[in-house]
Amino acid sequence: MSTAKKGPFFLTNTLTRRKEEFVPLRPPHVGLYVCGPTVYSDVHLGNVRSFLTFDVLYRWLTFVGYKVRYVRNITDVGHLTGDVDEGEDKIARRARLEQLEPMEIVQKYTNGFHDVMRLFNILPPSIEPTATGHLIEQIAMVQRILASGFGYEANGSVYFDVPGFATKHPYGELSGRKIDELLANTRDTEGMEEKRSPLDFAIWKKADPSHLMKWPSPWGEGFPGWHLECSAMSTKYLGGTFDIHGGGMDLKFPHHECEVAQSVAADGHAPVRYWMHGNMLTVNGRKMAKSEGNGFTPEELLTGDHKLLEKGYSAMTVRFFMLQCHYASTLDFSNAAMQASEKGLERLEKAMALLPGLKPGDADGADIEALEHRCHAAMNDDLNTPVLIAELFEAVRLINSVNDSKLKLTAGALERLRSLMQAMVRDVLGFRAEAGAGGDDRMLDALVQEFIHLRAEAKARKDFATGDAIRDRLGAIGIALKDSKEGTTWERT
RNA sequence: GGUCACGUGGCCGAGUGGCUAGGCAGAGGUCUGCAAAACCUCGUACAGCGGUUCGACUCCGCUCGUGACCUCCA
C-alpha cells in the first residue's frame, strides 16, 4: 500500500560487512534461500533461532509487497561427521544406531522438524527441496565444475581444487579468510591422501559396498558432497544469481564459502547478492550445539523437564524472547530472561485483547501515523525487531490509556492502530494469540460472569468479606478478577 | 596460534559523536472499600587506561575479559 511501507529496506550483507539497501534483481520478485536442517536428530532451540530469523525476514518482505520465493532445503544425505574424509554420513550413522532404514530416519526427523516449525509459528517455505531428490542436478554441477578445470577425480571421488580456484578467482571473501592463512593453519593431513590440498573439499564421494546411501554416477557409486546440494538446488529454483541467502553464522565457513566457489566454478558468476547470517543462541555464554550437549528440545522447553529449565515456557514466549534481541547479536538463554519475556508478552497480548473493544473519542491524543512510520523504520533498518517491540509497547501504553479513558482517539485513529497492531504483532513478528486470556471459552466465561454478579451484589450491600472470598477462591483456581470503573473483568493467571 | 566479534544500569537487551530505547525486577504516586491491573514519576548505565574532538558510551590505540570461526553444528 503506502510507499512508507516500501521505503528503503537495509540489511547487513555479510559480503561487504555493512548495511546495504536491498534492491531485488527482478522486482517485485525476491529469491530467498535458507539452509535448512540436516535431518538426523531433533532440532534444538538454537536451530529454532536461525529459522525464526529468516521467518521474520520472509514475513517482512512479504508484508512490504514482494513476491517471495522462499526455498529452504532438507539435507538428507552427504553430511558427514567429523573429518571430511574419515567421517560417516550422519544419517547413515543414525540409521545404524536406531536400526532403521536411512529414509526412515530422514522422514522421522523431517516430521519432527515440521512439528517444531508449526509450534513456533514459523511459516513453511515456498519450496522445500531435498538433497536426495536432486542427485541429477548435483551430478550435473559436478560435471560443470570438472569442465571448468577446478575439480579433479581421485579414486571414484571428485574434489574441488581450492588453491587452483584461488589463483583465478577470489576465495574467502565471504568469511574473510585468506588462502595463505588457511594453508598455514591446516591440521595434519592424515587420511586425506586423495586430496591434493587440505583445503579441497569433496563434491562427490565414492561409497564403499557397505554404504546404504549411494547412487550411480559417472565416477561410480557414491553420494554428493555436503556443500553441493545448496548450490544445485538454489540454482535450480532461484536461478544462477539470486537475491538473499541466509543461514547461521556457523555456516559461513566453510559451507557458504564453498557454495560461492562452486557456483563461480560451475557457472562463472557469484550466486548470491546479499548474504545474511544469524548469530548464535548461547547457554551460560556458550553456543548451544548438539556437540556441546547443552541444547534442549522444544518438548523439554514446554514441560520444563530439563536441568537448565526452572519451569516450562510457551513457544510464543521463546519467540518473544528471541525477537527482543537483534538477529546479528548473540543471545544468551537464561531463566530470568525467559520469565521477563513471559511477562512482557503477556502485557502485549492483554493490550491486543483490549483492542477490539476500545471506544472511539472525539479527539486525537496520539499520532498513530508517526508510530506506524517508526515501526516500519525499525524493520527497514536491518530487521530491528527489538526496536519494533519497543514501539509496540508505546502502542500498548496508548491502548491501556484509551481503555482507562485517560486518552482519546478518533474512530479513524483507532482503526489505524488496530490494523497496525494486527500487522506488526501477528503478521510480521508472528506472535500467535494463545488461548485462555479471558473469554475464549464461552461456558467458562458465562460461569465466571455469574460469580462476578454475585460478588457485585455482595459489594453493593457492603459485604466485602463475601466479595473478597469470591475473588480469593477464584484466584486460587487460576482466575483473577479485576475491578474498574467500567465493571469487573477476569483473566487466567 | 590465526581471523573476527563482543563487553551497556539489579537482570535481559537496543542505539547514538551532544537530545528518555524497550521489557522484567525495584521505589514513590494516581485510581480503588481493599487488592490486582492500568496510568504517571524515579534510577544520573555504557569493562579499564590513554588519544582525537568544543564535546565520546558512541571514533582511534592499548590492556583486561568473554565468545565465535579456523573440524560437523542454525
Side-chain angles (χ1 to χ4, degrees):
Chain A
M1 56 171 262
S2 69
T3 43
K5 255 190 192 179
K6 297 199 176 187
F9 171 41
F10 287 81
L11 53 79
T12 301
N13 190 347
T14 311
L15 269 176
T16 55
R17 274 159 267 271
R18 64 181 59 167
K19 280 185 206 171
E20 293 177 7
E21 183 176 349
F22 173 69
V23 181
L25 202 55
R26 288 176 289 273
H29 300 281
V30 171
L32 169 64
Y33 189 93
V34 173
C35 288
T38 301
V39 282
Y40 71 102
S41 66
D42 293 314
V43 292
H44 63 241
L45 217 55
N47 302 307
V48 169
R49 184 180 182 203
S50 182
F51 298 122
L52 173 61
T53 293
F54 298 106
D55 182 53
V56 171
L57 171 67
Y58 176 46
R59 286 167 177 273
W60 181 246
L61 290 169
T62 304
F63 176 75
V64 299
Y66 290 119
K67 307 271 182 248
V68 185
R69 181 179 291 171
Y70 175 20
V71 181
R72 190 183 63 205
N73 68 292
I74 295 281
T75 297
D76 57 356
V77 69
H79 206 157
L80 306 182
T81 60
D83 178 83
V84 177
D85 278 9
E86 298 304 302
E88 184 178 6
D89 184 286
K90 289 186 172 187
I91 287 152
R93 175 184 150 81
R94 191 68 179 216
R96 184 167 56 73
L97 292 175
E98 295 194 20
Q99 294 192 301
L100 293 171
E101 183 69 22
M103 273 299 150
E104 286 184 278
I105 294 295
V106 164
Q107 192 64 54
K108 175 180 173 182
Y109 291 108
T110 299
N111 291 344
F113 170 65
H114 288 155
D115 289 345
V116 170
M117 293 299 100
R118 271 192 295 276
L119 179 65
F120 286 91
N121 206 23
I122 292 169
L123 298 172
S126 330
I127 301 175
E128 190 168 55
T130 61
T132 55
H134 295 77
L135 283 151
I136 290 169
E137 290 82 353
Q138 293 182 79
I139 289 169
M141 191 154 194
V142 172
Q143 288 173 318
R144 294 205 299 282
I145 293 169
L146 282 170
S148 75
F150 296 127
Y152 57 91
E153 188 188 346
N155 191 28
S157 293
V158 182
Y159 295 94
F160 192 94
D161 174 14
V162 172
F165 176 82
T167 60
K168 297 274 172 52
H169 301 280
Y171 177 83
E173 279 188 327
L174 180 65
S175 56
R177 305 299 154 109
K178 293 186 178 62
I179 192 99
D180 299 336
E181 286 169 0
L182 285 170
L183 283 167
N185 278 316
T186 40
R187 303 177 183 189
D188 62 45
T189 51
E190 297 269 330
M192 296 186 182
E193 48 283 325
E194 286 177 2
K195 287 192 201 173
R196 292 180 194 163
S197 162
L199 299 185
D200 293 352
F201 56 91
I203 47 185
W204 185 266
K205 281 288 286 179
K206 179 187 183 175
D208 61 51
S210 70
H211 216 93
L212 290 169
M213 305 177 80
K214 60 187 178 205
W215 291 265
S217 80
W219 315 283
E221 297 253 294
F223 56 93
W226 173 42
H227 313 301
L228 194 65
E229 57 178 32
C230 289
S231 294
M233 297 190 293
S234 62
T235 301
K236 177 171 173 117
Y237 296 113
L238 298 174
T241 301
F242 60 96
D243 294 306
I244 307 175
H245 188 134
M249 205 76 104
D250 48 0
L251 294 181
K252 213 194 297 184
F253 188 91
H255 185 56
H256 291 158
E257 199 69 72
C258 293
E259 280 187 50
V260 173
Q262 285 168 343
S263 285
V264 171
D267 301 323
H269 50 76
V272 176
R273 302 173 65 237
Y274 302 88
W275 282 94
M276 273 182 77
H277 289 97
N279 216 135
M280 299 293 108
L281 178 71
T282 61
V283 178
N284 295 321
R286 301 218 156 253
K287 175 184 170 183
M288 184 182 281
K290 288 169 184 172
S291 54
E292 293 265 351
N294 61 357
F296 36 79
T297 64
E299 288 71 27
E300 291 164 334
L301 177 89
L302 297 181
T303 60
D305 185 19
H306 189 281
K307 63 179 189 298
L308 287 165
L309 299 167
E310 286 171 8
K311 60 184 282 271
Y313 305 101
S314 76
M316 287 306 107
T317 296
V318 174
R319 196 168 169 117
F320 184 88
F321 165 70
M322 289 182 175
L323 294 179
Q324 261 192 311
C325 172
H326 187 77
Y327 76 86
S329 300
T330 56
L331 172 64
D332 196 52
F333 180 92
S334 72
N335 282 279
M338 286 301 295
Q339 279 154 32
S341 292
E342 193 169 55
K343 295 262 183 64
L345 177 62
E346 197 179 299
R347 202 159 103 83
L348 180 64
E349 286 294 355
K350 271 198 245 174
M352 290 297 285
L354 288 174
L355 217 33
L358 295 182
K359 307 272 191 311
D362 52 12
D364 257 346
D367 188 345
I368 306 302
E369 188 177 348
L371 178 67
E372 186 175 319
H373 282 194
R374 290 200 303 277
C375 287
H376 294 168
M379 288 304 287
N380 274 329
D381 184 14
D382 201 20
L383 301 178
N384 200 328
T385 54
V387 168
L388 172 59
I389 289 173
E391 297 296 351
L392 295 180
F393 277 101
E394 169 69 16
V396 166
R397 222 189 78 236
L398 298 178
I399 291 165
N400 286 328
S401 295
V402 171
N403 187 239
D404 287 353
S405 307
K406 288 171 180 162
L407 181 77
K408 288 179 176 178
L409 288 178
T410 60
L414 265 183
E415 203 36 58
R416 186 162 199 158
L417 182 59
R418 286 189 186 110
S419 67
L420 174 67
M421 292 302 278
Q422 175 67 31
M424 294 301 127
V425 175
R426 303 281 177 241
D427 301 341
V428 172
L429 295 177
F431 295 128
R432 185 170 48 208
E434 293 186 317
D440 289 340
D441 185 327
R442 283 159 180 265
M443 177 61 94
L444 178 62
D445 185 52
L447 202 57
V448 177
Q449 292 303 337
E450 284 307 312
F451 282 108
I452 289 173
H453 284 310
L454 281 174
R455 181 161 165 273
E457 286 168 15
K459 282 167 65 180
R461 59 176 187 267
K462 303 283 182 201
D463 180 4
F464 295 121
T466 302
D468 287 352
I470 290 171
R471 184 176 59 198
D472 293 347
R473 290 188 192 179
L474 287 176
I477 59 172
I479 291 168
L481 300 187
K482 294 186 295 187
D483 297 336
S484 73
K485 283 196 185 107
E486 286 76 28
T488 301
T489 57
W490 70 276
E491 65 187 34
R492 291 172 199 255
T493 52

